[in-house]
Amino acid sequence: MLDTLWHLRGSLPLPPSLSDAEALDQVEGFLAAECKQVLGREADRLAFRSDMFRGERNAVLAFFNSGEFQITARSAAGERMLDYDLSARYGFLACVVFAMFAAGIGAIGDGLRGALIGAALALAWIYGMNRLTASIRVPHALSKVVLRGHEEWNDACQKP
């Protein structure tokens, strides 16, 4: 249950004209543009990971350090879905560090009560806003990538 805090899960329908391999090719290209290293690929599954905050901060997947995409059949009619499970453990831990900093500042002025309130507000604001933004941007970006291809996606990866 706690892993729900740092995971973003969802799915989107795949067009019937797109094969599983083509869909994963599009996602793999998108991951490359987002500076994410593909760990493994199977016929219906793709996994990635990245270093903490590697690449441009405005990248759609900048907040996520690992994840998995899997194509699943959902009905007898052949409807296929692209399921994703993205992990933001590093982002969550960074937000906790900022919350502890806010707790220290709150403790100076108002003791333990101020520390707890400051930490809770800082964590809710920083992590909550990142999570909210990601929960809107990720499905939108993935649907664009799957439907139109990764070639149209801006390369957010900083090449040395």
Side-chain angles (χ1 to χ4, degrees):
M1 167 142 162
L2 283 179
D3 73 335
T4 303
L5 289 175
W6 56 79
H7 278 263
L8 178 64
R9 295 179 177 101
S11 58
L12 59 112
L14 292 174
S17 61
L18 195 65
S19 72
D20 291 358
E22 290 170 329
L24 289 179
D25 286 344
Q26 300 294 17
V27 172
E28 191 169 356
F30 173 65
L31 291 173
E34 294 277 317
C35 299
K36 305 298 181 188
Q37 177 187 2
V38 174
L39 290 178
R41 179 172 173 173
E42 297 170 12
D44 63 348
R45 185 184 159 280
L46 179 67
F48 77 89
R49 74 165 196 81
S50 69
D51 297 329
M52 188 167 168
F53 305 116
R54 184 172 172 228
E56 189 174 313
R57 290 184 313 188
N58 291 331
V60 173
L61 297 178
F63 193 59
F64 300 100
N65 58 291
S66 65
E68 182 175 301
F69 297 90
Q70 185 162 3
I71 298 174
T72 57
R74 293 283 169 91
S75 68
E79 181 185 39
R80 296 170 306 129
M81 302 293 280
L82 177 65
D83 298 327
Y84 55 90
D85 181 4
L86 309 175
S87 173
R89 283 192 184 112
Y90 295 158
F92 182 75
L93 291 175
C95 291
V96 168
V97 169
F98 287 121
M100 290 184 340
F101 179 71
I105 292 173
I108 291 171
D110 202 16
L112 181 62
R113 181 177 174 269
L116 293 175
I117 290 172
L121 289 175
L123 183 62
W125 176 256
I126 296 169
Y127 188 73
M129 292 309 290
N130 277 302
R131 177 68 186 252
L132 177 65
T133 304
S135 66
I136 294 168
R137 290 181 73 196
V138 168
H140 177 70
L142 286 174
S143 65
K144 282 175 70 174
V145 165
V146 168
L147 294 176
R148 297 187 193 146
H150 66 85
E151 291 84 12
E152 292 186 19
W153 198 256
N154 295 333
D155 191 354
C157 191
Q158 298 285 328
K159 306 252 191 306

